[in-house]
Amino acid sequence: MNYQTIPDHNGDIVVLGDLHYDSYSRFSLNPIDQWALQDIVWNADALILAGDLTNGPADRWTQVFQYLSEFILPERIYALPGNHDFYSGHLTDDHILERVAKNAGAHFVQKTALLHGDTRIFCCTLWTDYNLSGEPSIAMRNADLLMADYDMIGAPLDLNPPADSIPIMRRERRLKPREILRVHQDHRAWLADSLASQHPIGSHGKTVVVTHHGPHPAVAGKIDTLSAAFHSDMSDLLIQYRPDTWFFGHSHRRFRAKVHGTDIRNVSIGYAGELIDESVSYLRDACVWKN
């Protein structure tokens, strides 16, 4: 297992999801100030962004990194994409987001293992298996009908077309839920292999997971027909590998629960004005991992 080391300056790791920077900038607001996170971010060894930095296209990430540089050095920022980060692009745009992050001096951490002190951190979007309620076909149909993702994200592009292929002019195809399911399966397999690997620090080492999508119904809130597009039930991995903490976003519902020994925390900032009645103290506490 290859690890990317986060330099240890005796600071904490801060994990935030759903910055939705464009939502705040539209009203001349500042998400870090709005949620009183300045001191936490300033003193962090790393800020891990758990997806939905902004609405796509990918080059909008440049604005987000520039804004965050007021609070933390870009080389201390580690970003994985959420569904909104692929808007106006394609499901296969990881390589474009990676390039934008690197050009800003930040790190792109899709399917990436990080090491900070005695803590290993596994990062991926995860997406969803649509099976939270046990009726994946219904969940996929409802998501396709009701969620913007399938109109705003282009279907996967062939990044390595055959050399003798002939380009065909045609209307771009809509994204299908089954294509997101395939990416979920890939990310889940990577995560399972990562959790099964030997900890580089040994048996006393700690394990943290960061995903955009949710990992368990206990942190999904009231479950409805769309919940399965936001969360999967990863109980088998929780039971088998017992990670210490799992951070996620996507649903903008600030729930936290201890499940099979794992502290699962929603760390969504959310849209401007959306969570105005939520306690500031919840997010300030939930978003910090102390090594």
Side-chain angles (χ1 to χ4, degrees):
M1 192 81 202
N2 295 321
Y3 287 88
Q4 181 176 341
T5 300
I6 298 174
D8 191 347
H9 302 291
N10 297 313
D12 299 325
I13 300 294
V14 173
V15 186
L16 293 170
D18 307 282
L19 191 69
H20 287 295
Y21 175 68
D22 50 345
S23 170
Y24 285 83
S25 61
R26 192 177 302 123
F27 300 102
S28 299
L29 296 174
N30 176 330
I32 299 297
D33 287 344
Q34 282 285 110
W35 292 100
L37 298 168
Q38 306 95 317
D39 58 319
I40 294 175
V41 174
W42 281 332
N43 294 313
D45 277 354
L47 170 62
I48 301 177
L49 299 171
D52 282 7
L53 283 64
T54 185
N55 284 326
D59 59 8
R60 288 190 178 178
W61 270 25
T62 301
Q63 302 167 25
V64 181
F65 294 131
Q66 183 177 4
Y67 158 67
L68 290 172
S69 67
E70 300 174 21
F71 306 95
I72 190 168
L73 294 171
E75 57 262 36
R76 296 192 184 191
I77 300 175
Y78 299 76
L80 63 93
N83 53 311
H84 281 256
D85 298 305
F86 293 94
Y87 279 18
S88 300
H90 298 86
L91 189 62
T92 43
D93 279 353
D94 277 342
H95 65 295
I96 302 177
L97 292 163
E98 181 177 22
R99 183 176 68 240
V100 174
K102 286 185 175 180
N103 287 344
H107 308 270
F108 183 75
V109 290
Q110 182 72 283
K111 291 170 61 178
T112 299
L114 305 173
L115 186 65
H116 179 254
D118 65 357
T119 299
R120 61 180 184 174
I121 306 167
F122 298 126
C123 304
C124 64
T125 302
L126 186 61
W127 295 96
T128 176
D129 62 6
Y130 300 96
N131 198 33
L132 194 72
S133 62
E135 299 176 301
S137 60
I138 295 174
M140 293 171 82
R141 183 187 65 199
N142 288 341
D144 193 25
L145 289 172
L146 300 174
M147 290 188 70
D149 291 15
Y150 307 96
D151 293 309
M152 295 299 297
I153 304 174
L157 293 177
D158 186 353
L159 301 181
N160 297 290
D164 58 351
S165 65
I166 300 174
I168 299 174
M169 296 298 292
R170 62 169 179 250
R171 182 178 178 273
E172 189 172 298
R173 183 171 56 78
R174 284 182 83 245
L175 179 67
K176 299 294 185 183
R178 65 176 178 270
E179 291 165 324
I180 282 179
L181 175 59
R182 290 190 195 107
V183 182
H184 165 83
Q185 292 167 338
D186 174 69
H187 288 195
R188 190 191 189 285
W190 174 84
L191 188 54
D193 288 345
S194 300
L195 288 167
S197 66
Q198 184 175 358
H199 200 299
I201 304 301
S203 60
H204 65 281
K206 301 184 179 82
T207 298
V208 169
V209 178
V210 180
T211 60
H212 181 62
H213 289 63
H216 197 272
V219 286
K222 183 179 179 181
I223 295 179
D224 56 29
T225 56
L226 281 180
S227 297
F230 289 81
H231 305 267
S232 303
D233 188 348
M234 309 293 283
S235 289
D236 56 334
L237 297 187
L238 295 172
I239 292 170
Q240 186 170 2
Y241 300 112
R242 309 276 175 157
D244 295 275
T245 299
W246 191 313
F247 296 93
F248 75 99
H250 191 38
S251 64
H252 299 197
R253 295 177 175 179
R254 292 185 181 165
F255 290 107
R256 181 173 178 176
K258 199 73 169 285
V259 181
H260 304 302
T262 299
D263 183 7
I264 306 178
R265 315 179 190 181
N266 180 293
V267 287
S268 293
I269 288 182
Y271 298 117
E274 178 189 22
L275 298 170
I276 200 67
D277 294 328
E278 292 279 350
S279 168
V280 168
S281 61
Y282 168 85
L283 189 58
R284 282 178 57 88
D285 179 61
C287 74
V288 176
W289 168 260
K290 294 184 177 294
N291 210 350

